[in-house]
Amino acid sequence: MMLSKKRNFVSKSTLLIFLTALIVSSNVFAFQETQNSFKQYKGKVIEKNSNKQLVFATVALEETNISTISNTEGEFLLKVPSAIKEGIVSFSFLGHTTKKISLGDLNADNNKIELEISVTQLEEVNVNVPKDAEALVREVLNKKGENYFDNQTLMTAFYRETIKKRRRNVSLSEAVVNIYKSSYTSSKKDAVQLFKARKSTDYSKLDTVALKLQGGPFNTLYVDIIKYPEYIFADETIDEYIFSFDRSTFINDRQIYIIDFKQLPSIREPLYYGKLYIDVENKTLKSAVYQLNITNRELASRLFVRKKPANVDVWPTEIAYRVDYRNKNGKWYYGYSNVLLEFKVDWDDKLFNSVYSMTAEMAVTDWKSNSEGATLKPKEKIKKSIILSDEAIGFSDPDFWGEYNIIEPEKSIESAIRKIQRQLKRDDKNGASK
């Protein structure tokens, strides 16, 4: 069955998968830095008492636009220009009390940041709970001109995408991008420029199938619900959701409504379900965590698989999204998003199927106002159909990222890179001895 025109809103916001013939490539990069024009601070954000690692915690230098995100192991790396001698670094995480530490009190390495849980019930605070959760969501979407950036901005962002076969990394691509972001009240799409990029790919682990993500940074950029509501809460689909109030929590010490949403039982086509985190005081969306309903795996598969061999079945087992917003001078803006896609690949002539996970994440690490309305020339813009792993080039330059803030690589990624590096060194030695 073909999806209706209305349902195309869903498919436009997703990542696409190419299953193509085997392509062999061996590029490598290293995660080492020199510290000429900046200082760097490493550490881990954990929950106090439980020592649970806090994933996607925000690390920001106050009174600047410099920030980063902790990785899936709670580790962070923050780079600060050497010219900045003093400052306060804030560490914040959903449902926890924000912690602020003087820049001078941070070590270059091994900082252990403990955040305390801060959860309360709505009944325990003096707030008026709206009776209609859906009406609150509509109000949030309608107030984007008041609460979010109403001017153009130039953002620097770090983007990473990975492909894993079960738990083994087989493809890693990263980029620093410049985002020419239009105001939240404008219908103009954001433009993206690729500044630096690199990759490490080992297709030999992909069972003669190469999986590629089409769209690159746009996949994460379009998770910005406030800028692109048509990809989840379009005017013609918002009526097809059920909204309800959950408990209350805190983000950055601000009271937050939590609203659950899911599609109506009568809707057959896959829509989304998850949670919206809305600031009580000014009715802004602070964060959203949600998934695609993949109960009907055949319909869900059509949204993602662009091309595949005839003797292969591919279906999703999990499609998850997250977006976080930050506040500066009373205005909110897109700060971070990630997408997780997990698929099973079943070959007709193989006894066991393969499981692949594909992740993409992007964090805004700096920004400034684009008051002059600077734009990109057509040839400078990356296309929405970009496949970053085809565009990027492998690097082993230890100073590659320089002063740009990146999301600290996970141990599994570092391990995969070291293995490929060792293999390349062996190949170089063998080649030289011939």
Side-chain angles (χ1 to χ4, degrees):
M1 184 185 80
M2 295 296 292
L3 294 181
S4 67
K5 183 177 181 181
K6 177 169 59 176
R7 304 301 174 194
N8 287 339
F9 284 123
V10 179
S11 61
K12 285 182 181 178
S13 65
T14 57
L15 290 88
L16 303 176
I17 301 175
F18 282 71
L19 287 87
T20 61
L22 175 65
I23 304 173
V24 178
S25 174
S26 59
N27 296 300
V28 65
F29 48 82
F31 288 91
Q32 300 175 5
E33 300 289 349
T34 59
Q35 299 185 43
N36 297 324
S37 59
F38 64 92
K39 293 182 179 180
Q40 65 180 30
Y41 304 87
K42 288 186 176 183
K44 193 167 188 176
V45 185
I46 63 173
E47 185 178 89
K48 192 174 182 179
N49 299 325
S50 71
N51 288 326
K52 175 184 176 183
Q53 58 199 26
L54 297 182
V55 179
F56 311 140
T58 297
V59 183
L61 180 62
E62 295 191 348
E63 305 302 324
T64 75
N65 300 325
I66 300 171
S67 60
T68 188
I69 294 288
S70 65
N71 66 12
T72 57
E73 294 162 343
E75 297 173 345
F76 69 89
L77 168 63
L78 179 68
K79 298 177 186 176
V80 178
S82 298
I84 299 178
K85 305 297 183 182
E86 298 179 348
I88 301 295
V89 180
S90 65
F91 300 85
S92 57
F93 185 76
L94 179 68
H96 292 68
T97 301
T98 298
K99 190 168 189 176
K100 299 185 179 184
I101 301 177
S102 171
L103 194 61
D105 291 336
L106 288 176
N107 303 315
D109 207 350
N110 298 322
N111 292 284
K112 183 180 179 181
I113 311 300
E114 297 179 318
L115 302 185
E116 295 183 351
I117 296 176
S118 178
V119 178
T120 186
Q121 298 298 320
L122 284 172
E123 293 77 8
E124 297 175 8
V125 295
N126 186 24
V127 295
N128 294 319
V129 182
K131 295 181 179 180
D132 190 337
E134 180 181 335
L136 177 59
V137 174
R138 290 180 180 272
E139 181 181 358
V140 169
L141 296 176
N142 291 333
K143 292 181 67 174
K144 61 183 179 182
E146 300 177 32
N147 295 326
Y148 295 82
F149 277 178
D150 55 2
N151 57 359
Q152 299 179 67
T153 51
L154 294 175
M155 294 180 166
T156 300
F158 177 74
Y159 173 78
R160 174 185 288 140
E161 63 183 42
T162 67
I163 301 176
K164 292 183 180 181
K165 180 183 178 184
R166 297 195 183 276
R167 296 184 178 180
R168 301 182 67 181
N169 285 291
V170 295
S171 180
L172 313 169
S173 300
E174 297 182 323
V176 168
V177 298
N178 298 319
I179 303 173
Y180 286 67
K181 196 162 185 62
S182 60
S183 73
Y184 276 87
T185 56
S186 172
S187 59
K188 183 180 179 181
K189 300 286 187 180
D190 300 328
V192 180
Q193 179 184 36
L194 192 63
F195 180 69
K196 300 183 77 173
R198 64 184 180 181
K199 68 176 179 181
S200 173
T201 305
D202 184 1
Y203 283 115
S204 64
K205 296 187 180 75
L206 284 173
D207 291 341
T208 71
V209 173
L211 282 75
K212 299 182 180 181
L213 307 184
Q214 184 182 35
F218 288 103
N219 294 304
T220 46
L221 189 59
Y222 287 166
V223 182
D224 182 352
I225 292 176
I226 299 299
K227 176 64 178 176
Y228 302 102
E230 64 267 26
Y231 293 146
I232 177 170
F233 297 133
D235 290 339
E236 54 266 58
T237 59
I238 194 170
D239 289 332
E240 298 176 351
Y241 286 99
I242 300 171
F243 298 90
S244 60
F245 283 100
D246 198 343
R247 69 187 189 285
S248 174
T249 188
F250 282 88
I251 301 179
N252 293 343
D253 304 325
R254 296 180 66 90
Q255 188 75 23
I256 301 294
Y257 294 125
I258 301 180
I259 293 183
D260 294 327
F261 67 95
K262 60 183 179 180
Q263 69 185 78
L264 291 167
S266 59
I267 305 300
R268 182 169 178 265
E269 292 83 353
L271 294 179
Y272 300 99
Y273 65 95
K275 296 181 181 293
L276 304 175
Y277 298 83
I278 297 175
D279 187 280
V280 169
E281 182 178 349
N282 53 28
K283 307 299 189 297
T284 57
L285 180 69
K286 177 60 180 70
S287 184
V289 180
Y290 57 101
Q291 295 184 330
L292 182 70
N293 178 9
I294 56 173
T295 303
N296 189 324
R297 71 183 194 185
E298 292 183 0
L299 286 178
S301 179
R302 294 179 195 176
L303 299 174
F304 295 92
V305 180
R306 177 59 59 87
K307 183 170 62 176
K308 68 179 184 65
N311 60 335
V312 177
D313 288 326
V314 182
W315 64 89
T317 57
E318 182 178 4
I319 310 293
Y321 303 84
R322 180 190 180 100
V323 61
D324 293 328
Y325 295 89
R326 300 173 188 156
N327 183 289
K328 184 65 180 288
N329 298 328
K331 292 286 187 179
W332 297 75
Y333 65 96
Y334 163 79
Y336 173 79
S337 63
N338 68 52
V339 183
L340 166 65
L341 304 97
E342 186 176 272
F343 289 84
K344 283 191 177 181
V345 179
D346 189 7
W347 292 81
D348 291 345
D349 56 352
K350 291 186 178 182
L351 182 60
F352 300 105
N353 55 38
S354 298
V355 178
Y356 296 94
S357 62
M358 313 167 83
T359 61
E361 62 179 338
M362 185 162 68
V364 173
T365 56
D366 203 352
W367 62 269
K368 63 181 180 180
S369 175
N370 185 12
S371 58
E372 298 179 356
T375 59
L376 288 172
K377 297 178 181 179
K379 65 179 180 180
E380 296 175 326
K381 300 178 183 179
I382 64 173
K383 297 180 179 179
K384 296 179 180 62
S385 58
I386 185 176
I387 298 175
L388 185 61
S389 60
D390 288 349
E391 299 287 336
I393 302 173
F395 287 89
S396 58
D397 177 9
D399 303 322
F400 183 70
W401 291 122
E403 63 185 6
Y404 288 95
N405 270 294
I406 67 171
I407 302 172
E408 183 79 332
E410 299 150 15
K411 291 181 175 61
S412 61
I413 291 178
E414 290 180 320
S415 176
I417 293 169
R418 285 195 295 268
K419 289 179 181 178
I420 298 173
Q421 285 177 322
R422 289 195 295 267
Q423 182 61 49
L424 287 180
K425 289 179 180 179
R426 287 195 293 266
D427 292 344
D428 289 341
K429 289 181 180 179
N430 293 336
S433 63
K434 291 182 180 178

Coordinates of all heavy atoms in Angstrom, one line a residue, residues 27-29 174 197-200 388-396 400:
N27 N 40.2 3.7 5.7 CA 40.7 5.0 6.1 C 40.7 5.1 7.6 O 39.9 4.4 8.3 CB 39.8 6.1 5.5 CG 39.9 6.1 4.0 OD1 40.9 6.3 3.4 ND2 38.7 6.0 3.4
V28 N 41.5 6.0 8.2 CA 41.6 6.0 9.6 C 41.8 7.4 10.1 O 42.3 8.2 9.4 CB 42.9 5.1 10.0 CG1 44.2 5.6 9.5 CG2 42.9 4.9 11.5
F29 N 41.4 7.6 11.4 CA 41.7 8.9 12.0 C 42.1 8.7 13.5 O 41.8 7.6 14.0 CB 40.5 9.9 11.9 CG 39.2 9.3 12.2 CD1 38.8 9.2 13.5 CD2 38.3 8.8 11.2 CE1 37.6 8.7 13.9 CE2 37.1 8.3 11.6 CZ 36.7 8.3 12.9
E174 N 32.7 11.7 10.7 CA 32.5 12.9 11.5 C 32.7 14.1 10.7 O 33.4 14.1 9.7 CB 33.6 12.9 12.7 CG 33.5 11.7 13.6 CD 34.5 11.9 14.7 OE1 35.6 12.3 14.4 OE2 34.2 11.5 15.9
A197 N 35.7 17.1 7.5 CA 35.1 15.8 7.7 C 36.1 14.7 7.5 O 37.2 14.9 6.8 CB 34.0 15.6 6.6
R198 N 35.9 13.6 8.2 CA 36.8 12.5 8.0 C 36.0 11.2 8.3 O 34.9 11.2 8.9 CB 38.0 12.6 9.0 CG 37.6 12.6 10.4 CD 38.9 12.8 11.3 NE 38.6 12.8 12.7 CZ 39.5 13.0 13.6 NH1 40.8 13.2 13.2 NH2 39.2 13.0 14.9
K199 N 36.6 10.1 8.0 CA 35.8 8.8 8.2 C 36.8 7.7 8.4 O 38.0 7.8 8.1 CB 35.0 8.5 6.9 CG 35.8 8.1 5.7 CD 34.9 7.7 4.5 CE 35.8 7.4 3.3 NZ 35.0 7.0 2.1
S200 N 36.3 6.6 8.9 CA 37.0 5.3 9.1 C 36.0 4.2 8.8 O 35.0 4.1 9.5 CB 37.6 5.2 10.5 OG 38.2 3.9 10.6
L388 N 27.6 11.2 3.9 CA 28.9 11.7 4.4 C 30.0 10.7 4.3 O 31.2 11.1 4.0 CB 28.7 12.1 5.9 CG 29.8 12.7 6.6 CD1 30.2 14.1 5.9 CD2 29.6 13.0 8.0
S389 N 29.8 9.4 4.4 CA 30.9 8.5 4.3 C 31.5 8.4 2.9 O 32.6 8.0 2.7 CB 30.4 7.1 4.7 OG 29.3 6.7 3.8
D390 N 30.7 8.9 1.9 CA 31.3 9.0 0.6 C 32.1 10.3 0.4 O 33.0 10.4 -0.5 CB 30.2 8.9 -0.5 CG 29.6 7.5 -0.6 OD1 30.2 6.6 -0.1 OD2 28.6 7.4 -1.2
E391 N 31.6 11.4 1.1 CA 32.2 12.7 0.9 C 33.5 12.8 1.8 O 34.4 13.5 1.4 CB 31.2 13.8 1.3 CG 30.0 13.8 0.5 CD 30.2 14.4 -0.9 OE1 31.2 15.1 -1.1 OE2 29.4 14.0 -1.8
A392 N 33.5 12.2 2.9 CA 34.7 12.4 3.8 C 35.9 11.7 3.4 O 35.8 10.7 2.6 CB 34.3 12.0 5.2
I393 N 37.0 12.1 3.9 CA 38.3 11.5 3.6 C 39.0 11.1 4.9 O 38.9 11.7 5.9 CB 39.2 12.5 2.8 CG1 38.6 13.0 1.6 CG2 40.6 11.9 2.5 CD1 39.3 14.1 0.9
G394 N 39.7 9.9 4.8 CA 40.3 9.4 6.0 C 41.5 10.3 6.4 O 42.3 10.7 5.5
F395 N 41.7 10.5 7.7 CA 42.8 11.3 8.2 C 43.5 10.6 9.3 O 42.9 9.9 10.1 CB 42.4 12.7 8.6 CG 42.0 13.6 7.5 CD1 40.7 13.7 7.1 CD2 42.9 14.5 7.0 CE1 40.3 14.6 6.1 CE2 42.5 15.4 6.0 CZ 41.2 15.4 5.5
S396 N 44.8 10.8 9.4 CA 45.6 10.4 10.6 C 46.3 11.6 11.3 O 47.1 11.4 12.1 CB 46.6 9.3 10.2 OG 47.5 9.8 9.3
F400 N 43.9 17.2 13.8 CA 42.8 17.4 12.8 C 41.7 18.3 13.3 O 41.3 19.3 12.6 CB 42.2 16.1 12.3 CG 41.2 16.2 11.2 CD1 41.6 16.6 10.0 CD2 39.8 16.0 11.5 CE1 40.6 16.7 9.0 CE2 38.9 16.2 10.5 CZ 39.3 16.5 9.2

